[in-house]
Amino acid sequence: MDFSEETKAVKDILQNLIKAKKTLKMYPQNNPVYLKTLEDSYEKFRSFFEYKDDLTLKIKQNTISYDSEQVYSNPEREDNLALLFFKDGLRELTFKKGLKKEELEEFLRIISLDFDREILDDDIVTLLWEKDFQNIHHVVDEASLFDDEYYETKAESAVKERSTEIDELVKASEDELAGDEIKEIALMQLTEKDLQMLVNEIEKDSSDKIEKLVDFLFEIFNNAEGKDEFEDSVIFMKDVIRFSMKLGDLDSVLNIMTMAKDILENPASTEEMRKYINRALVYAGTEEILNLLAEFLDSGAEVDKEVFNKYIEFLDKNVISQFIKILAELKTMNARKLVIDALVLIGGKDIQMIARGLNDHRWYVVRNIIYILRKIGDKSAVEHLLKAVKHSDIRVRKEAIRALGELGRREVLLTLRECLDDPDIQVRIASARALGNNGSEAAKKILLEKISDKMFMKKDFAEKKRFFEVLSRWRDDDLFDFLIKTLKKRSFFNKSKNYENKACAAYCLGLIGNKEALPILEKEKNSNNKLLSEHAYLTIKRLESGQ
């Protein structure tokens, strides 16, 4: 495949994504049109990967480029694929050769959401992050992720500092060159392959030496006689831990921790041996070492997640507070995600200590702590989350509500019902969805009462539609009867608002898939109200093709 063919193939992929984005929004997952669109999209990628191992797209506001060539452009705001990604901070998308059809489907379902017209809990970046795709990677403009009032000042300061450093280096070079006679030097040009080989050899050599040194230190420790020899060998182990963490060599740190644990658990080890070797194990989780780990994670270097998780599992619960502090200071998304995963892994050891992070003054720290508590899934966190729903920041309230819905205890229902009357529409939608996740009969009753309330009819159509969407979770006879009753309802006052409710009921009937609704839907399809007739028509199509 030459370059022109590559470019054409990428353009075809993008056009297919645009088509799939529209189709997946209209049809249910078991619909033949939906399935064919998904298969066509996957086939486009599969054909491309026969020649290339990855497809990287560079994203600007109105354009998308592949290998420095523009493959998509749209100056308009409507249906602009580039703008859809760009406005949420997405700057690069990479699809890997191992792309699975399930991953592509999840990606397409994310981009098919109507982020402009629908009221959603998250943006594209957050949804991609939560899916944690193995073969779809993304790069984000970090500045767009947080509302940091000091960001601009920090950026200007950083530029000035950088300029000063460069000026000083240039001046130093000029001073040095001024005193020496410049001699002509013949340089050998190194290829990229040569450089990579050199880097690999240096890394391998360094790793091999550290491994031998660690083996040597433990041999000294196991044969030590007396306090001084134990202390000296442990001091050297600490030095190796510190040195390895500076290099980002987690393998070597993990190796020391594993060997130290073996000594602790060995019945033949003396109490004195256990006392001293435990110092090395504890040192690997001190503030000094964790700060070095944070620097490494923020550097953007690749991290072996399996090794990282094994290292975290060795740590005591006392590191939780330091990790929360680090989380607040990290600058890159990937580093934050790793630390969040670490806190999820270790946080179950002390929910109370994790929950202290809810008192942080920064909204994004509090939101991350709520996310961590939600992922841990310990129901004892509910008492802390109930307080978080009163937070001043909407994003925090939404995350707390989502967590309460997933943890699912009965005492959350009263709070979720109160949140349905929150001044912010996004919080109200999040509360409805949380009740849906709760899934109890009591939760369904709360939603039906709210929808039946006269004030509900006055709400915006988009909000009402989301409430009915949540109702479709139950799919029982009571709900079906309620929806039919709503469709049949006549009103002399607020006719337009009543039609909105009827359209929502028709939409919900399509989601629950009960074909007994077809006769009344056929009638409403001919309604003079365009909104109702369109929703009735689409629901009929969905029900008829639902098999």
Side-chain angles (χ1 to χ4, degrees):
M1 181 184 286
D2 60 31
F3 186 72
S4 60
E5 289 177 330
E6 276 184 49
T7 304
K8 184 179 182 302
V10 175
K11 288 181 178 179
D12 287 345
I13 287 173
L14 289 174
Q15 288 302 315
N16 203 270
L17 288 182
I18 295 168
K19 177 184 176 183
K21 179 179 180 298
K22 297 177 180 177
T23 303
L24 267 61
K25 191 190 314 182
M26 292 177 58
Y27 295 93
Q29 287 178 268
N30 58 352
N31 186 278
V33 177
Y34 178 106
L35 295 172
K36 185 178 186 309
T37 302
L38 177 60
E39 184 60 42
D40 288 347
S41 298
Y42 188 64
E43 184 58 38
K44 295 286 184 184
F45 279 100
R46 192 162 47 191
S47 299
F48 181 86
F49 290 139
E50 289 179 3
Y51 301 94
K52 290 283 184 176
D53 289 340
D54 54 66
L55 166 59
T56 298
L57 302 170
K58 303 283 187 181
I59 299 161
K60 293 185 179 180
Q61 185 168 339
N62 295 314
T63 62
I64 298 176
S65 300
Y66 166 74
D67 206 4
S68 301
E69 182 161 337
Q70 185 174 295
V71 289
Y72 174 87
S73 177
N74 184 357
E76 303 298 328
R77 180 176 177 81
E78 293 296 319
D79 297 323
N80 188 333
L81 187 64
L83 184 60
L84 175 71
F85 297 136
F86 185 86
K87 65 184 175 61
D88 284 339
L90 211 59
R91 297 296 179 264
E92 186 174 299
L93 266 173
T94 298
F95 299 87
K96 297 287 186 180
K97 189 172 185 176
L99 181 68
K100 298 181 177 63
K101 186 185 292 186
E102 294 78 15
E103 289 181 298
L104 179 60
E105 181 179 10
E106 288 295 334
F107 175 80
L108 291 173
R109 287 175 67 83
I110 288 173
I111 68 171
S112 67
L113 294 170
D114 197 333
F115 289 87
D116 288 330
R117 294 185 176 86
E118 297 184 23
I119 304 158
L120 304 170
D121 288 340
D122 292 309
D123 55 22
I124 286 181
V125 170
T126 305
L127 294 171
L128 291 175
W129 178 40
E130 289 188 347
K131 289 297 180 183
D132 194 20
F133 293 118
Q134 296 300 305
N135 298 294
I136 305 176
H137 300 166
H138 61 282
V139 175
V140 177
D141 177 3
E142 297 291 338
S144 67
L145 297 178
F146 292 103
D147 296 342
D148 187 344
E149 61 182 310
Y150 301 111
Y151 174 76
E152 187 174 347
T153 305
K154 289 178 181 176
E156 290 176 357
S157 176
V159 170
K160 289 176 183 177
E161 288 176 9
R162 181 66 178 156
S163 300
T164 303
E165 290 173 8
I166 294 171
D167 291 343
E168 289 175 356
L169 286 171
V170 171
K171 187 177 185 304
S173 300
E174 289 173 347
D175 291 344
E176 185 69 26
L177 290 171
D180 295 328
E181 181 181 348
I182 299 175
K183 297 179 181 179
E184 194 172 314
I185 301 174
L187 296 176
M188 179 180 291
Q189 185 70 33
L190 290 175
T191 65
E192 186 176 344
K193 184 178 180 181
D194 294 331
L195 289 170
Q196 189 58 53
M197 286 178 61
L198 183 59
V199 169
N200 291 340
E201 285 300 315
I202 292 172
E203 289 179 349
K204 183 176 181 298
D205 186 54
S206 174
S207 180
D208 288 346
K209 286 180 178 178
I210 292 176
E211 186 177 350
K212 290 174 183 176
L213 175 59
V214 170
D215 290 340
F216 179 65
L217 287 174
F218 273 90
E219 187 175 345
I220 292 175
F221 181 87
N222 285 321
N223 293 286
E225 295 180 1
K227 172 183 175 182
D228 290 342
E229 291 186 12
F230 278 128
E231 282 189 347
D232 288 343
S233 54
V234 169
I235 287 171
F236 282 122
M237 286 180 195
K238 290 180 178 180
D239 289 339
V240 174
I241 290 172
R242 184 170 58 254
F243 175 75
S244 299
M245 194 60 88
K246 281 183 178 179
L247 295 178
D249 182 5
L250 274 174
D251 281 291
S252 294
V253 177
L254 181 61
N255 187 28
I256 293 174
M257 297 175 82
T258 303
M259 295 174 76
K261 186 180 180 184
D262 289 343
I263 292 174
L264 282 174
E265 296 177 348
N266 189 344
S269 299
T270 66
E271 284 304 312
E272 190 173 27
M273 291 175 71
R274 291 192 180 97
K275 180 180 73 173
Y276 281 103
I277 201 63
N278 190 56
R279 294 179 184 178
L281 195 57
V282 169
Y283 180 71
T286 59
E287 182 177 347
E288 177 186 8
I289 299 304
L290 294 181
N291 284 335
L292 290 174
L293 172 66
E295 289 178 16
F296 168 63
L297 297 179
D298 239 353
S299 70
E302 188 172 348
V303 178
D304 187 321
K305 288 187 179 180
E306 184 177 351
V307 173
F308 178 77
N309 288 340
K310 286 180 179 177
Y311 164 75
I312 297 301
E313 287 170 355
F314 267 109
L315 301 179
D316 186 79
K317 66 179 184 179
N318 294 328
V319 304
I320 289 175
S321 58
Q322 181 60 22
F323 266 128
I324 291 175
K325 181 181 177 183
I326 287 170
L327 179 61
E329 297 170 351
L330 289 171
K331 297 177 178 63
T332 62
M333 174 179 264
N334 287 336
R336 287 193 293 272
K337 188 176 189 306
L338 284 167
V339 171
I340 286 171
D341 290 344
L343 284 167
V344 171
L345 195 61
I346 202 171
K349 297 178 181 180
D350 195 330
I351 294 296
Q352 297 290 333
M353 194 174 288
I354 289 283
R356 287 175 196 163
L358 295 174
N359 298 320
D360 197 282
H361 67 279
R362 290 159 292 198
W363 72 266
Y364 54 89
V365 176
V366 179
R367 186 188 184 199
N368 284 334
I369 295 300
I370 295 171
Y371 174 85
I372 291 162
L373 290 171
R374 178 163 68 89
K375 287 297 182 182
I376 292 172
D378 190 322
K379 295 185 184 298
S380 66
V382 166
E383 60 182 289
H384 304 288
L385 295 170
L386 287 172
K387 300 173 185 176
V389 297
K390 300 184 185 300
H391 197 278
S392 59
D393 192 281
I394 291 170
R395 292 159 291 195
V396 173
R397 299 209 299 275
K398 282 168 40 182
E399 191 65 36
I401 288 165
R402 181 188 298 185
L404 289 173
E406 290 187 13
L407 291 174
R409 282 168 45 168
R410 285 190 62 84
E411 62 262 41
V412 309
L413 294 179
L414 179 59
T415 299
L416 292 178
R417 184 171 66 180
E418 291 173 353
C419 290
L420 291 176
D421 295 319
D422 191 275
D424 186 84
I425 186 172
Q426 294 187 36
V427 173
R428 297 196 296 269
I429 294 295
S431 303
R433 286 175 173 162
L435 286 165
N437 286 332
N438 183 277
S440 66
E441 280 297 306
K444 181 181 77 172
K445 183 179 178 182
I446 290 171
L447 284 170
L448 288 174
E449 286 177 352
K450 178 58 63 177
I451 291 173
S452 301
D453 190 278
K454 291 181 179 179
M455 296 303 295
F456 183 82
M457 186 178 287
K458 297 179 181 180
K459 292 183 180 293
D460 290 339
F461 175 68
E463 181 177 358
K464 290 194 282 191
K465 191 174 181 180
R466 296 288 78 80
F467 270 68
F468 275 87
E469 186 177 272
V470 171
L471 273 181
S472 68
R473 180 210 183 284
W474 279 271
R475 302 182 179 223
D476 54 26
D477 291 340
D478 288 343
L479 176 61
F480 180 78
D481 292 342
F482 173 81
L483 295 173
I484 296 299
K485 183 179 177 182
T486 304
L487 263 180
K488 291 180 176 179
K489 186 174 181 179
R490 297 289 182 263
S491 176
F492 294 102
F493 305 102
N494 295 320
K495 279 190 176 182
S496 62
K497 288 295 182 179
N498 187 52
Y499 277 125
E500 288 181 354
N501 279 19
K502 289 159 69 75
C504 288
Y507 171 66
C508 189
L509 285 166
L511 295 177
I512 65 176
N514 192 330
K515 291 189 175 183
E516 291 180 22
L518 283 171
I520 190 171
L521 288 168
E522 287 287 353
K523 182 179 178 181
E524 300 297 347
K525 182 181 70 173
N526 300 317
S527 170
N528 293 327
N529 182 270
K530 184 179 179 183
L531 183 69
L532 175 57
S533 63
E534 284 180 353
H535 278 75
Y537 172 74
L538 289 172
T539 297
I540 291 168
K541 284 188 65 178
R542 173 172 283 189
L543 291 175
E544 289 179 341
S545 62
Q547 295 179 345

